[in-house]
Amino acid sequence: MLSLVPRPMPPRRFQLRVAAEDRHLVEIRDFVQDAGEKLLIPQKTLAQTKLAVDEACTNVVRHGYKGDPGFIEIVITGNGRDFSIAIRDTGKGFDIRNVKSPDLKMYVETRKRGGLGVFLMNQLMDEVRYRSSHDGNVLTMTKRLGRSGRRRKGKGKPRKSLRFQYTIQAFGGITLLVALAFSAIHWRQSRVIQRDAIRQAQSTATSLGQGAIDVLQSAEPMSPDQTHLGESVRALLKAHPEYASARVFDARGRIWASDKFEELFTVRTLPQEVHAVASGPGAKPTAPAAHVEPSDGQKREVYQPILQPGAKEPRAIGWVSIAVRESAIADEISAARIELATIALFTLLLGCGLSAVLITIFVQPIQALSDSVRAIGEGTMVADIGTSGNEEIDEIARAFNEVTAKFRSAQSHLMEQERLQQEMQVAQEIQQMLLPRKVPELDGFELGSLYQAAKEVGGDYYDFLTVDERTVGVVVADVSGKGVPGSLVMTMIRTALRMEARGNRSASDVMAKMNSFVTEDMKKGMFVTMFYVVLDSVNRVVTYASAGHNPMILYRGETNATYFLKPKGIPVGINVPDEQLFRKTISVEKLTLQQDDMLVIYTDGITEAMNSEREQFGEARLLTAIKKHGHGTAQEFADALNQEIREFTGGAPQNDDITLVAIKEKVPVEERLEANRRELFRLIDVEGVPIAEACERLKVASSTYYRYKRRVSELGDDAGLKQIRPTPPMARASLEEEAAILDIVRVEPLFGAKRIHEVLHAAKRCRDDLSERAVYATLKRHGLNRKEKRLEFAQTGTDTRMARLAQAIRSDGPANPTESGGGEA
């Protein structure tokens, strides 16, 4: 029987080794494309892989080698089910494991930049590994075909029940109380046992002293009374093993009775404490004196005075000393401690058991209520809280059910607000890192930029792209989505543009390829408007294309005229059935700037900037600012415009980013081109450089040399090196000329394009090279190319946005573009 399970293809391996230079990145991309097609990798997956490889190799060139010579080796292996790409280099190591994914706290607290390239690689590929050793660095990226490489997050730890929490807290509280009570009682017991031991010794010493009075008064050694006293001492020690010794002293310290025979009738010096009690000022010899021998610390001695009977004033005729063993006191304290600990443990167990029973009885309905409330708060329960059998708890549940619906709505709204706020903060960090850190220097052009982030992330983006050594691309874009999704779309667009722009001077082709790359990965309903300009510093040609973006403004410094330049094109990311619709729709236009001309590319955050009265800055104020500050450098103009916007808004928070890039021509184009041609002839005719090498060095075509060589032979050096074809005039009317055309239509609506053209030239209200076709195009753009429409326009005062804008520009002041105005032709 035939098996329907497809067999995996045998593993295939592809290898490429190139120098670590920017110019080889295009070769790496083509290598990945060719290998991916041979491994039958789907186009979407292959596009993602090319993006990840391009990001990795760019980091190696710019950060690994930092301009030093080196190589990049790429090995691609695959078997139809998955494939891996190993990128090896010997530059400076950079462990991607130390780079965390974009996180709000990390970006806000540490303000670190970087990590988005690694984040993008982790998102596009299923597995990314990095190894660094003395042999070099190896980055390995793996992609499984037809499977998701995202790991499932494990479930969180189970939530502890309310009954469990209360039980633990009750056990802890009871244990603490029992421990405190045990410590206090045990301390008191110890004091009592020590005090009782001293009192008992004092009482025993008093009894012994009564029998010693006769012996001390007679002072006869070895008398029957003295012998009987010694036997009493020995009997006492035998009856009380807790006593270490017992002695009877006379007032001079002579021992008359002792458990040790050798001590009899010897004299000992009594402790100072005894003398202080017996003979000190205000002494009361009836009080005992307790003294712990300092020699070994194993016993304490109690001295009890023997008072002379019948004396008017109490006088000690002797002392009885009893030494109490410390070990005996300690044993008694230990026995009391064990007994007390047994009682405490029993009390603790009983208390914990009773508390557990009581908590179970009283907390169980509260637990049920708490679980229901938590489930509703977490969105995992949609039903109301049921009854629990407890009247008080059921009353609380009924009251809570009345506000459940409002609580759910408020909780959902609050969580959404917090999520959006976190997304906005992260998106702002991402967006800041996407913007270029400096403006590039391009021979013959001045570049200036303006960017002000709004309170809410609007998705504005601008960048400067390196096309080749003589060409730079300038892009300004506005993503429709806000937050992190919009920022990630900007990340994809930025990487795709930089990848496609290398070596490609066609603005429309770059945008078409970029659109096909990002469209499938963009969220439905999200789109990007974009204006892309390519600056050729050698041929002095400006090529531009638009994807539904705001028109680019051209300011002619010599004539103080302004133009709106808006080629055809639809926004990026619109998913339409015809995949070639974007390429078919987008058009590319070319322009040659004159000295002091300026191009202004902007987003609607400038024209829609509002003051506290909700009035917009508007296109009229923008054009007025261009005329006012266009004589300075590109960056000076951007700074002056920023100041005017600040003064207009008065510090009011804005809802959209403010983004602008200004491009200014700073040298005479014809003089520069002529100087370039003279240098070309000097290299060939004077220095003998081969024609092909000289043309390559100056970045011109060989046909240019032969064409001008014929002209030089015919006209001479001066005339032959001049421009062959004059610069073509602008094919459309400026905004000032549009204002003049509309003024004539208001006064003479019967005039057609030809008659209006004649009136304009007669009144000197237009440039000399303005054609009749440009006048007709202006009428058609305003819907006034037919006579009845012009009559309606003149009679009813019907106006258009461009008519109001042209009128404001014609007045050359910060007029409100919402106000209409007329004038005599």
Side-chain angles (χ1 to χ4, degrees):
M1 187 175 77
L2 295 176
S3 174
L4 299 179
V5 180
R7 294 182 178 179
M9 67 170 61
R12 302 185 65 183
R13 186 174 185 273
F14 305 89
Q15 185 174 358
L16 175 68
R17 183 185 176 104
V18 296
E21 300 175 2
D22 283 334
R23 59 190 181 93
H24 289 295
L25 294 177
V26 177
E27 184 179 351
I28 293 175
R29 183 188 61 187
D30 296 338
F31 166 72
V32 175
Q33 176 72 31
D34 182 62
E37 292 176 353
K38 294 179 180 178
L39 291 174
L40 303 180
I41 299 175
Q43 286 300 319
K44 181 178 179 180
T45 303
L46 184 57
Q48 295 174 347
T49 303
K50 289 196 298 181
L51 186 59
V53 172
D54 189 83
E55 184 69 29
C57 293
T58 301
N59 288 334
V60 171
V61 173
R62 297 183 180 178
H63 305 294
Y65 290 106
K66 294 183 178 181
D68 296 333
F71 70 92
I72 299 177
E73 184 178 19
I74 302 176
V75 178
I76 302 178
T77 57
N79 57 9
R81 292 177 300 184
D82 54 33
F83 66 94
S84 65
I85 301 177
I87 303 175
R88 179 175 176 268
D89 67 274
T90 57
K92 182 180 179 182
F94 176 71
D95 195 343
I96 63 174
R97 291 173 296 183
N98 296 330
V99 180
K100 299 180 179 180
S101 299
D103 178 76
L104 173 65
K105 293 183 179 180
M106 184 272 289
Y107 276 94
V108 173
E109 294 176 2
T110 66
R111 314 298 294 179
K112 288 185 179 181
R113 294 181 176 270
L116 284 176
V118 176
F119 172 72
L120 186 63
M121 286 187 285
N122 285 323
Q123 290 293 106
L124 296 176
M125 308 301 289
D126 291 337
E127 185 179 3
V128 179
R129 301 189 307 274
Y130 184 85
R131 178 178 59 83
S132 180
S133 64
H134 64 278
D135 295 332
N137 312 307
V138 179
L139 174 67
T140 305
M141 297 182 290
T142 304
K143 185 77 172 179
R144 289 180 287 277
L145 302 178
R147 299 180 183 177
S148 176
R150 303 193 178 200
R151 301 176 180 175
R152 298 182 59 184
K153 296 182 178 179
K155 296 183 179 179
K157 295 182 179 180
R159 186 189 301 271
K160 294 180 176 63
S161 66
L162 190 63
R163 181 172 59 184
F164 177 80
Q165 295 178 17
Y166 281 178
T167 302
I168 293 298
Q169 294 174 4
F171 285 2
I174 294 174
T175 303
L176 180 60
L177 290 176
V178 171
L180 292 175
F182 173 82
S183 300
I185 294 174
H186 178 63
W187 178 81
R188 184 176 180 81
Q189 277 186 338
S190 300
R191 297 291 299 273
V192 170
I193 290 172
Q194 293 176 359
R195 187 168 60 248
D196 289 347
I198 298 299
R199 288 178 179 178
Q200 184 180 1
Q202 178 186 356
S203 177
T204 303
T206 301
S207 299
L208 186 61
Q210 292 295 328
I213 293 177
D214 295 337
V215 175
L216 295 179
Q217 286 181 344
S218 64
E220 294 181 4
M222 304 304 293
S223 65
D225 292 336
Q226 189 268 335
T227 303
H228 183 265
L229 180 61
E231 292 176 354
S232 299
V233 169
R234 288 189 290 274
L236 174 66
L237 294 178
K238 187 175 182 180
H240 296 276
E242 68 271 16
Y243 297 155
S245 64
R247 301 180 182 90
V248 178
F249 301 89
D250 60 13
R252 293 174 299 177
R254 186 177 183 184
I255 300 175
W256 286 88
S258 174
D259 58 314
K260 298 179 181 179
F261 182 79
E262 62 272 12
E263 292 183 349
L264 289 176
F265 309 115
T266 60
V267 178
R268 290 187 61 181
T269 302
L270 297 177
Q272 295 295 329
E273 291 85 347
V274 174
H275 289 291
V277 171
S279 57
K284 294 182 179 181
T286 56
H291 175 70
V292 178
E293 291 288 347
S295 59
D296 53 8
Q298 296 181 356
K299 59 183 180 294
R300 65 179 68 187
E301 292 190 48
V302 176
Y303 291 85
Q304 183 67 24
I306 303 173
L307 303 179
Q308 182 178 8
K312 294 181 180 181
E313 293 292 335
R315 186 176 67 85
I317 61 174
W319 297 84
V320 177
S321 169
I322 295 179
V324 184
R325 298 180 187 274
E326 285 291 330
S327 60
I329 298 176
D331 291 342
E332 190 173 353
I333 292 175
S334 178
R337 183 190 303 117
I338 294 174
E339 182 181 358
L340 182 61
T342 303
I343 298 173
L345 180 60
F346 177 76
T347 304
L348 177 62
L349 295 177
L350 181 62
C352 290
L354 290 176
S355 65
V357 174
L358 293 176
I359 288 174
T360 301
I361 295 174
F362 291 106
V363 176
Q364 189 169 5
I366 300 178
Q367 178 72 55
L369 176 64
S370 175
D371 292 342
S372 300
V373 172
R374 185 181 297 111
I376 293 176
E378 294 175 351
T380 58
M381 178 179 176
V382 294
D384 291 336
I385 301 175
T387 59
S388 62
N390 185 288
E391 184 177 354
E392 290 79 6
I393 300 299
D394 291 346
E395 186 67 25
I396 297 175
R398 284 191 292 270
F400 188 84
N401 286 335
E402 295 177 0
V403 296
T404 298
K406 293 182 180 180
F407 173 77
R408 291 171 184 165
S409 177
Q411 185 73 7
S412 175
H413 181 70
L414 178 61
M415 293 175 63
E416 182 66 16
Q417 287 294 102
E418 292 178 352
R419 184 187 64 81
L420 289 177
Q421 184 178 5
Q422 292 178 355
E423 277 198 0
M424 290 301 174
Q425 292 177 351
V426 175
Q428 284 181 341
E429 294 293 332
I430 297 175
Q431 188 174 5
Q432 287 289 339
M433 285 180 287
L434 293 179
L435 301 179
R437 298 184 180 180
K438 63 179 182 178
V439 176
E441 296 182 359
L442 187 62
D443 194 15
F445 292 102
E446 288 179 351
L447 299 176
S449 63
L450 166 63
Y451 176 78
Q452 292 292 334
K455 179 181 178 181
E456 296 182 1
V457 179
D460 281 10
Y461 160 68
Y462 77 95
D463 202 358
F464 303 104
L465 313 176
T466 301
V467 179
D468 52 38
E469 296 177 359
R470 73 181 195 185
T471 312
V472 168
V474 181
V475 60
V476 174
D478 188 355
V479 182
S480 62
K482 297 178 180 294
V484 174
S487 297
L488 293 180
V489 169
M490 288 170 55
T491 305
M492 287 193 304
I493 288 179
R494 174 179 180 267
T495 306
L497 273 175
R498 291 192 170 194
M499 180 174 60
E500 299 295 346
R502 293 191 186 101
N504 192 346
R505 299 179 189 170
S506 173
S508 58
D509 186 58
V510 169
M511 295 180 68
K513 290 181 178 179
M514 180 270 301
N515 177 73
S516 63
F517 178 81
V518 302
T519 297
E520 292 185 2
D521 294 326
M522 289 181 63
K523 184 179 178 181
K524 186 177 181 181
M526 184 180 293
F527 61 89
V528 182
T529 64
M530 182 182 302
F531 207 103
Y532 181 49
V533 178
V534 179
L535 305 176
D536 188 340
S537 62
V538 174
N539 296 323
R540 317 306 301 169
V541 175
V542 178
T543 308
Y544 55 93
S546 174
H549 197 71
N550 298 329
M552 179 173 63
I553 299 176
L554 167 63
Y555 170 68
R556 291 290 192 189
E558 183 179 358
T559 60
N560 201 36
T562 53
Y563 300 82
F564 273 169
L565 306 179
K566 188 173 183 179
K568 294 187 299 180
I570 61 176
V572 174
I574 297 180
N575 199 345
V576 293
D578 186 2
E579 297 181 356
Q580 298 298 321
L581 180 62
F582 186 92
R583 185 178 291 274
K584 295 176 182 177
T585 305
I586 192 169
S587 63
V588 63
E589 297 181 2
K590 294 184 178 182
L591 173 69
T592 299
L593 297 178
Q594 301 172 4
Q595 188 177 12
D596 295 331
D597 285 358
M598 183 170 65
L599 296 173
V600 178
I601 318 170
Y602 63 97
T603 61
D604 51 14
I606 292 181
T607 56
E608 295 178 3
M610 292 185 181
N611 56 19
S612 58
E613 299 178 357
R614 308 297 294 174
E615 181 185 6
Q616 293 187 354
F617 188 76
E619 292 176 328
R621 288 186 175 86
L622 174 59
L623 293 171
T624 301
I626 291 175
K627 287 189 171 186
K628 182 178 179 181
H629 306 291
H631 58 277
T633 65
Q635 190 58 51
E636 289 174 351
F637 161 73
D639 295 338
L641 176 63
N642 185 32
Q643 182 62 29
E644 286 203 6
I645 294 175
R646 287 178 180 271
E647 293 175 356
F648 173 79
T649 58
Q654 302 301 309
N655 295 325
D656 202 356
D657 298 343
I658 294 176
T659 307
L660 175 143
V661 175
I663 307 167
K664 192 165 187 181
E665 177 67 69
K666 63 181 181 181
V667 298
V669 176
E670 175 53 35
E671 292 182 8
R672 185 176 184 84
L673 292 176
E674 183 178 341
N676 196 45
R677 298 184 197 113
R678 292 186 182 277
E679 177 64 16
L680 176 63
F681 276 78
R682 189 191 67 80
L683 290 175
I684 297 173
D685 297 340
V686 177
E687 296 188 5
V689 178
I691 297 176
E693 181 181 346
C695 292
E696 175 64 23
R697 187 182 301 180
L698 296 180
K699 305 298 181 182
V700 298
S702 300
S703 58
T704 302
Y705 168 73
Y706 292 111
R707 183 167 62 251
Y708 280 95
K709 184 177 181 180
R710 288 194 300 269
R711 287 175 51 84
V712 168
S713 62
E714 296 173 359
L715 304 176
D717 289 343
D718 293 335
L721 293 177
K722 298 292 184 183
Q723 178 72 19
I724 297 177
R725 290 184 294 271
T727 303
M730 290 294 297
R732 60 178 300 161
S734 66
L735 294 178
E736 294 75 16
E737 291 167 341
E738 288 192 21
I741 292 172
L742 295 177
D743 286 343
I744 295 175
V745 172
R746 286 190 181 94
V747 178
E748 299 291 347
L750 297 179
F751 284 2
K754 181 177 181 180
R755 189 72 180 94
I756 294 175
H757 181 259
E758 294 174 353
V759 173
L760 282 175
H761 279 277
K764 298 187 181 299
R765 298 189 61 183
C766 66
R767 64 183 189 271
D768 295 338
D769 57 1
L770 180 67
S771 64
E772 181 183 336
R773 178 178 295 181
V775 175
Y776 179 78
T778 301
L779 295 174
K780 185 176 182 180
R781 188 161 53 253
H782 290 278
L784 302 176
N785 53 319
R786 292 187 298 173
K787 180 172 64 176
E788 55 271 19
K789 291 293 184 180
R790 295 194 295 273
L791 288 171
E792 180 182 356
F793 175 76
Q795 293 174 0
T796 63
T798 302
D799 213 343
T800 63
R801 180 190 69 87
M802 186 58 68
R804 295 192 298 271
L805 180 61
Q807 179 64 25
I809 293 302
R810 186 180 60 81
S811 63
D812 201 17
N816 189 341
T818 60
E819 299 177 356
S820 60
E824 297 295 335

